[in-house]
Amino acid sequence: MTRVWHQSFTVLEDVGPYVEAMRRHLDARRLPDTTIDFHGMRPGTYPSAYPGTHIRYSYLSGLHKEQFVAAALQARAEDYDAFLIATIPDTGFEEIRSLVDLPVVAFGNASVAFAATLAPTVGIVNFIDALQPQLHRNMRDYGFGEIVGPIVSIGRGFTDIVSAYDDPAPLLAAFTVAARRAIADGAQVIVPGEGPLNIFLADQGVSRVDDVPVIDSLGVGLALCEVRARMYRTSGLVPSRRGFFFETPPAPVLEAAREFYRGAAE
Protein backbone atom coordinates (compact mmCIF):
# COMPACT_ATOMS: atom_id res chain seq x y z
CA MET A 1 0.00 0.00 0.00
CA THR A 2 1.15 3.55 -0.77
CA ARG A 3 0.16 6.36 1.61
CA VAL A 4 0.39 9.85 0.14
CA TRP A 5 0.30 13.03 2.23
CA HIS A 6 -1.34 15.72 0.06
CA GLN A 7 -0.43 19.22 1.28
CA SER A 8 -2.49 22.12 -0.02
CA PHE A 9 -1.74 25.85 0.26
CA THR A 10 -5.41 26.48 1.06
CA VAL A 11 -7.26 26.12 4.35
CA LEU A 12 -9.34 23.14 3.29
CA GLU A 13 -12.11 23.85 5.78
CA ASP A 14 -12.78 27.12 3.90
CA VAL A 15 -13.22 25.64 0.41
CA GLY A 16 -15.60 22.70 0.69
CA PRO A 17 -16.67 22.43 -3.00
CA TYR A 18 -13.05 22.49 -4.15
CA VAL A 19 -12.05 19.80 -1.64
CA GLU A 20 -14.95 17.59 -2.71
CA ALA A 21 -13.96 17.92 -6.37
CA MET A 22 -10.29 17.29 -5.54
CA ARG A 23 -11.09 14.14 -3.56
CA ARG A 24 -13.34 12.87 -6.32
CA HIS A 25 -10.72 13.53 -8.98
CA LEU A 26 -7.67 12.09 -7.22
CA ASP A 27 -9.60 9.08 -5.94
CA ALA A 28 -10.38 8.32 -9.59
CA ARG A 29 -6.70 8.70 -10.56
CA ARG A 30 -5.02 6.76 -7.76
CA LEU A 31 -3.90 3.15 -8.00
CA PRO A 32 -6.06 0.66 -6.07
CA ASP A 33 -3.51 0.28 -3.26
CA THR A 34 -2.92 4.03 -2.83
CA THR A 35 -4.52 6.09 -0.08
CA ILE A 36 -4.45 9.89 -0.06
CA ASP A 37 -4.76 11.97 3.09
CA PHE A 38 -5.64 15.60 2.36
CA HIS A 39 -4.10 18.31 4.51
CA GLY A 40 -4.31 22.09 4.32
CA MET A 41 -2.97 25.14 6.06
CA ARG A 42 -3.97 25.83 9.64
CA PRO A 43 -7.33 27.60 10.06
CA GLY A 44 -6.78 31.34 10.35
CA THR A 45 -3.64 31.33 8.17
CA TYR A 46 -5.16 33.88 5.76
CA PRO A 47 -7.43 36.89 6.29
CA SER A 48 -9.81 35.36 3.75
CA ALA A 49 -10.56 31.93 2.29
CA TYR A 50 -8.30 32.79 -0.65
CA PRO A 51 -4.53 32.17 -0.19
CA GLY A 52 -3.80 34.55 -3.08
CA THR A 53 -3.99 37.36 -0.53
CA HIS A 54 -0.60 36.11 0.74
CA ILE A 55 0.85 34.00 -2.07
CA ARG A 56 1.49 37.08 -4.21
CA TYR A 57 4.04 38.52 -1.74
CA SER A 58 7.53 37.09 -1.47
CA TYR A 59 7.92 37.42 2.30
CA LEU A 60 4.45 36.15 3.18
CA SER A 61 4.73 33.25 0.77
CA GLY A 62 8.09 32.33 2.25
CA LEU A 63 6.77 32.66 5.80
CA HIS A 64 4.26 29.88 5.14
CA LYS A 65 6.99 27.42 4.13
CA GLU A 66 7.29 26.39 7.77
CA GLN A 67 3.83 24.83 7.70
CA PHE A 68 4.92 22.72 4.72
CA VAL A 69 8.19 21.75 6.42
CA ALA A 70 6.38 20.79 9.63
CA ALA A 71 3.89 18.73 7.61
CA ALA A 72 6.67 16.88 5.77
CA LEU A 73 8.49 16.08 9.00
CA GLN A 74 5.21 14.79 10.45
CA ALA A 75 4.60 12.71 7.31
CA ARG A 76 8.04 11.14 7.75
CA ALA A 77 7.39 10.44 11.43
CA GLU A 78 4.07 8.80 10.54
CA ASP A 79 5.67 6.60 7.86
CA TYR A 80 3.95 8.06 4.81
CA ASP A 81 5.33 6.84 1.49
CA ALA A 82 5.28 10.17 -0.37
CA PHE A 83 4.65 13.88 0.21
CA LEU A 84 2.81 15.88 -2.47
CA ILE A 85 3.22 19.68 -2.47
CA ALA A 86 -0.07 20.52 -4.17
CA THR A 87 0.55 24.13 -5.18
CA ILE A 88 2.28 25.35 -8.34
CA PRO A 89 4.74 27.69 -6.53
CA ASP A 90 6.12 24.44 -5.02
CA THR A 91 6.24 26.03 -1.58
CA GLY A 92 9.11 24.64 0.50
CA PHE A 93 10.07 22.07 -2.16
CA GLU A 94 13.84 22.57 -2.07
CA GLU A 95 13.97 22.84 1.72
CA ILE A 96 11.80 19.78 2.31
CA ARG A 97 13.66 17.72 -0.27
CA SER A 98 16.87 18.40 1.67
CA LEU A 99 15.36 17.31 5.01
CA VAL A 100 13.58 14.00 4.34
CA ASP A 101 14.32 10.89 2.33
CA LEU A 102 10.70 10.00 1.65
CA PRO A 103 9.74 11.01 -1.93
CA VAL A 104 8.76 14.69 -2.21
CA VAL A 105 6.84 15.65 -5.34
CA ALA A 106 5.91 19.24 -6.21
CA PHE A 107 3.04 20.37 -8.46
CA GLY A 108 4.97 22.81 -10.67
CA ASN A 109 8.15 20.77 -10.99
CA ALA A 110 6.35 17.49 -11.75
CA SER A 111 3.72 18.84 -14.15
CA VAL A 112 6.18 20.79 -16.28
CA ALA A 113 8.69 17.92 -16.36
CA PHE A 114 5.94 15.56 -17.48
CA ALA A 115 4.55 18.03 -20.02
CA ALA A 116 8.01 18.26 -21.59
CA THR A 117 7.80 14.56 -22.47
CA LEU A 118 4.96 15.48 -24.84
CA ALA A 119 6.37 18.63 -26.44
CA PRO A 120 9.40 20.90 -25.96
CA THR A 121 7.54 24.17 -25.26
CA VAL A 122 5.24 24.26 -22.24
CA GLY A 123 2.71 27.01 -21.65
CA ILE A 124 1.18 27.69 -18.23
CA VAL A 125 -2.37 29.04 -17.99
CA ASN A 126 -3.16 30.34 -14.51
CA PHE A 127 -5.37 32.79 -12.62
CA ILE A 128 -3.01 34.36 -10.06
CA ASP A 129 -1.14 36.91 -12.18
CA ALA A 130 1.26 37.79 -9.37
CA LEU A 131 2.75 34.27 -9.46
CA GLN A 132 4.29 34.70 -12.90
CA PRO A 133 7.71 36.07 -11.77
CA GLN A 134 8.01 33.29 -9.16
CA LEU A 135 7.04 30.60 -11.67
CA HIS A 136 9.59 31.82 -14.21
CA ARG A 137 12.33 31.88 -11.55
CA ASN A 138 11.38 28.43 -10.23
CA MET A 139 11.51 26.96 -13.71
CA ARG A 140 14.91 28.51 -14.40
CA ASP A 141 16.21 27.09 -11.11
CA TYR A 142 14.91 23.63 -12.07
CA GLY A 143 16.69 23.84 -15.42
CA PHE A 144 13.36 24.25 -17.25
CA GLY A 145 13.97 27.84 -18.37
CA GLU A 146 14.09 26.94 -22.04
CA ILE A 147 11.09 24.60 -21.73
CA VAL A 148 8.55 26.99 -20.21
CA GLY A 149 7.26 29.53 -22.69
CA PRO A 150 4.23 31.78 -22.23
CA ILE A 151 2.43 32.13 -18.91
CA VAL A 152 -1.07 33.46 -19.55
CA SER A 153 -3.86 34.46 -17.17
CA ILE A 154 -7.51 33.52 -17.64
CA GLY A 155 -8.57 36.86 -16.19
CA ARG A 156 -10.73 35.27 -13.49
CA GLY A 157 -10.39 34.94 -9.73
CA PHE A 158 -10.53 32.19 -7.13
CA THR A 159 -14.21 32.72 -6.34
CA ASP A 160 -15.04 32.48 -10.04
CA ILE A 161 -13.45 29.02 -10.16
CA VAL A 162 -15.13 27.76 -7.01
CA SER A 163 -18.55 28.94 -8.24
CA ALA A 164 -18.02 27.63 -11.79
CA TYR A 165 -19.14 24.11 -10.86
CA ASP A 166 -22.73 25.44 -10.94
CA ASP A 167 -22.23 27.12 -14.34
CA PRO A 168 -19.08 25.83 -16.07
CA ALA A 169 -19.47 27.45 -19.50
CA PRO A 170 -18.06 30.96 -18.79
CA LEU A 171 -14.91 29.64 -17.10
CA LEU A 172 -14.37 27.02 -19.79
CA ALA A 173 -14.61 29.77 -22.41
CA ALA A 174 -12.15 31.98 -20.51
CA PHE A 175 -9.67 29.11 -20.22
CA THR A 176 -9.97 28.29 -23.92
CA VAL A 177 -9.30 31.92 -24.89
CA ALA A 178 -6.23 32.07 -22.62
CA ALA A 179 -4.94 28.68 -23.82
CA ARG A 180 -5.24 29.79 -27.45
CA ARG A 181 -3.23 32.91 -26.62
CA ALA A 182 -0.51 30.70 -25.13
CA ILE A 183 -0.63 28.42 -28.17
CA ALA A 184 -0.33 31.42 -30.49
CA ASP A 185 2.79 32.40 -28.50
CA GLY A 186 4.36 29.00 -29.08
CA ALA A 187 3.00 26.65 -26.39
CA GLN A 188 2.72 23.07 -27.59
CA VAL A 189 1.35 21.65 -24.32
CA ILE A 190 -0.58 23.42 -21.55
CA VAL A 191 -0.16 23.11 -17.77
CA PRO A 192 -3.07 24.52 -15.72
CA GLY A 193 -1.42 26.90 -13.31
CA GLU A 194 -3.04 26.26 -9.95
CA GLY A 195 -4.82 23.39 -8.23
CA PRO A 196 -8.36 24.80 -8.29
CA LEU A 197 -8.17 25.48 -12.04
CA ASN A 198 -6.58 22.08 -12.71
CA ILE A 199 -9.28 20.25 -10.74
CA PHE A 200 -12.09 22.19 -12.41
CA LEU A 201 -10.77 21.41 -15.91
CA ALA A 202 -10.25 17.74 -15.11
CA ASP A 203 -13.73 17.58 -13.59
CA GLN A 204 -15.09 18.95 -16.87
CA GLY A 205 -13.11 16.43 -18.94
CA VAL A 206 -10.80 19.01 -20.55
CA SER A 207 -7.67 17.31 -21.88
CA ARG A 208 -7.04 19.32 -25.08
CA VAL A 209 -7.54 22.74 -26.55
CA ASP A 210 -7.73 22.35 -30.32
CA ASP A 211 -4.75 20.06 -31.08
CA VAL A 212 -2.73 20.87 -27.95
CA PRO A 213 -2.81 18.62 -24.84
CA VAL A 214 -3.76 19.98 -21.41
CA ILE A 215 -1.97 18.26 -18.51
CA ASP A 216 -3.78 17.03 -15.41
CA SER A 217 -1.18 18.55 -13.10
CA LEU A 218 -2.27 17.03 -9.79
CA GLY A 219 -2.98 13.69 -11.46
CA VAL A 220 0.61 13.73 -12.73
CA GLY A 221 1.88 14.64 -9.26
CA LEU A 222 -0.01 11.76 -7.69
CA ALA A 223 1.26 9.29 -10.29
CA LEU A 224 4.84 10.43 -9.68
CA CYS A 225 4.33 9.97 -5.93
CA GLU A 226 3.30 6.39 -6.60
CA VAL A 227 6.29 5.72 -8.88
CA ARG A 228 8.78 7.40 -6.55
CA ALA A 229 7.39 5.56 -3.53
CA ARG A 230 7.83 2.23 -5.30
CA MET A 231 11.39 3.11 -6.33
CA TYR A 232 12.20 4.25 -2.80
CA ARG A 233 10.95 0.96 -1.38
CA THR A 234 12.67 -1.25 -3.95
CA SER A 235 15.95 0.55 -4.56
CA GLY A 236 16.28 3.19 -1.84
CA LEU A 237 16.24 6.04 -4.39
CA VAL A 238 16.71 9.43 -2.67
CA PRO A 239 17.85 12.85 -3.93
CA SER A 240 21.47 13.90 -4.08
CA ARG A 241 22.89 14.75 -0.70
CA ARG A 242 25.73 16.95 -1.94
CA GLY A 243 25.77 20.74 -1.94
CA PHE A 244 23.90 23.57 -0.25
CA PHE A 245 20.46 22.75 -1.67
CA PHE A 246 20.56 19.03 -0.92
CA GLU A 247 22.69 18.26 2.14
CA THR A 248 20.68 17.23 5.21
CA PRO A 249 21.65 18.96 8.47
CA PRO A 250 22.34 16.74 11.49
CA ALA A 251 19.09 15.99 13.33
CA PRO A 252 20.11 17.68 16.62
CA VAL A 253 21.12 20.86 14.76
CA LEU A 254 17.85 20.90 12.82
CA GLU A 255 15.68 20.34 15.87
CA ALA A 256 17.54 22.92 17.95
CA ALA A 257 17.14 25.57 15.24
CA ARG A 258 13.45 24.83 14.73
CA GLU A 259 12.84 24.88 18.48
CA PHE A 260 14.62 28.25 18.80
CA TYR A 261 12.46 29.86 16.13
CA ARG A 262 9.30 28.35 17.56
CA GLY A 263 10.19 30.06 20.83
CA ALA A 264 11.10 33.31 19.06
CA ALA A 265 7.68 33.39 17.41
CA GLU A 266 5.81 33.07 20.70
Side-chain angles (χ1 to χ4, degrees):
M1 186 177 81
T2 299
R3 297 173 66 223
V4 176
W5 179 301
H6 172 287
Q7 182 64 43
S8 175
F9 206 94
T10 59
V11 178
L12 297 185
E13 293 86 346
D14 292 341
V15 287
Y18 168 51
V19 174
E20 291 173 10
M22 182 168 58
R23 288 181 186 276
R24 181 172 64 247
H25 175 61
L26 291 183
D27 277 345
R29 292 291 190 268
R30 65 178 176 81
L31 293 174
D33 65 345
T34 295
T35 61
I36 309 165
D37 292 331
F38 295 90
H39 301 82
M41 305 296 274
R42 291 195 294 270
T45 294
Y46 310 113
S48 73
Y50 174 39
T53 55
H54 280 196
I55 204 173
R56 62 182 296 155
Y57 300 108
S58 175
Y59 172 71
L60 293 178
S61 183
L63 192 64
H64 295 311
K65 286 182 183 180
E66 180 55 27
Q67 289 197 45
F68 282 77
V69 170
L73 294 175
Q74 183 178 344
R76 180 183 65 182
E78 295 180 7
D79 294 325
Y80 276 81
D81 298 292
F83 186 84
L84 175 59
I85 299 173
T87 180
I88 197 169
D90 297 344
T91 305
F93 176 43
E94 291 181 326
E95 292 85 351
I96 294 168
R97 186 175 57 182
S98 75
L99 296 179
V100 298
D101 283 346
L102 84 158
V104 178
V105 174
F107 181 120
N109 178 277
S111 58
V112 170
F114 180 79
T117 68
L118 301 179
T121 304
V122 179
I124 297 175
V125 176
N126 71 340
F127 66 89
I128 304 178
D129 293 351
L131 283 181
Q132 294 190 18
Q134 184 179 3
L135 296 182
H136 278 302
R137 185 168 70 175
N138 283 357
M139 297 307 159
R140 288 195 300 270
D141 289 348
Y142 298 153
F144 299 163
E146 295 185 4
I147 295 172
V148 174
I151 301 179
V152 178
S153 172
I154 63 172
R156 298 291 189 276
F158 179 72
T159 56
D160 297 314
I161 293 171
V162 172
S163 63
Y165 290 92
D166 295 327
D167 182 16
L171 185 59
L172 289 172
F175 173 77
T176 300
V177 168
R180 285 175 174 159
R181 284 170 48 208
I183 293 166
D185 288 342
Q188 297 165 308
V189 55
I190 299 293
V191 167
E194 294 94 9
L197 180 59
N198 166 207
I199 293 298
F200 169 78
L201 294 171
D203 199 63
Q204 298 299 313
V206 175
S207 61
R208 303 186 76 80
V209 171
D210 301 328
D211 56 351
V212 171
V214 175
I215 298 300
D216 172 8
S217 304
L218 284 171
V220 165
L222 174 60
L224 185 55
C225 282
E226 292 168 330
V227 170
R228 287 278 311 280
R230 184 168 65 249
M231 296 181 74
Y232 179 54
R233 285 195 299 266
T234 59
S235 68
L237 179 68
V238 298
S240 170
R241 288 292 175 244
R242 293 182 62 86
F244 176 79
F245 292 104
F246 294 95
E247 189 172 356
T248 303
V253 175
L254 173 64
E255 288 308 311
R258 296 188 73 244
E259 182 62 30
F260 174 84
Y261 280 101
R262 278 194 293 268
E266 293 174 355

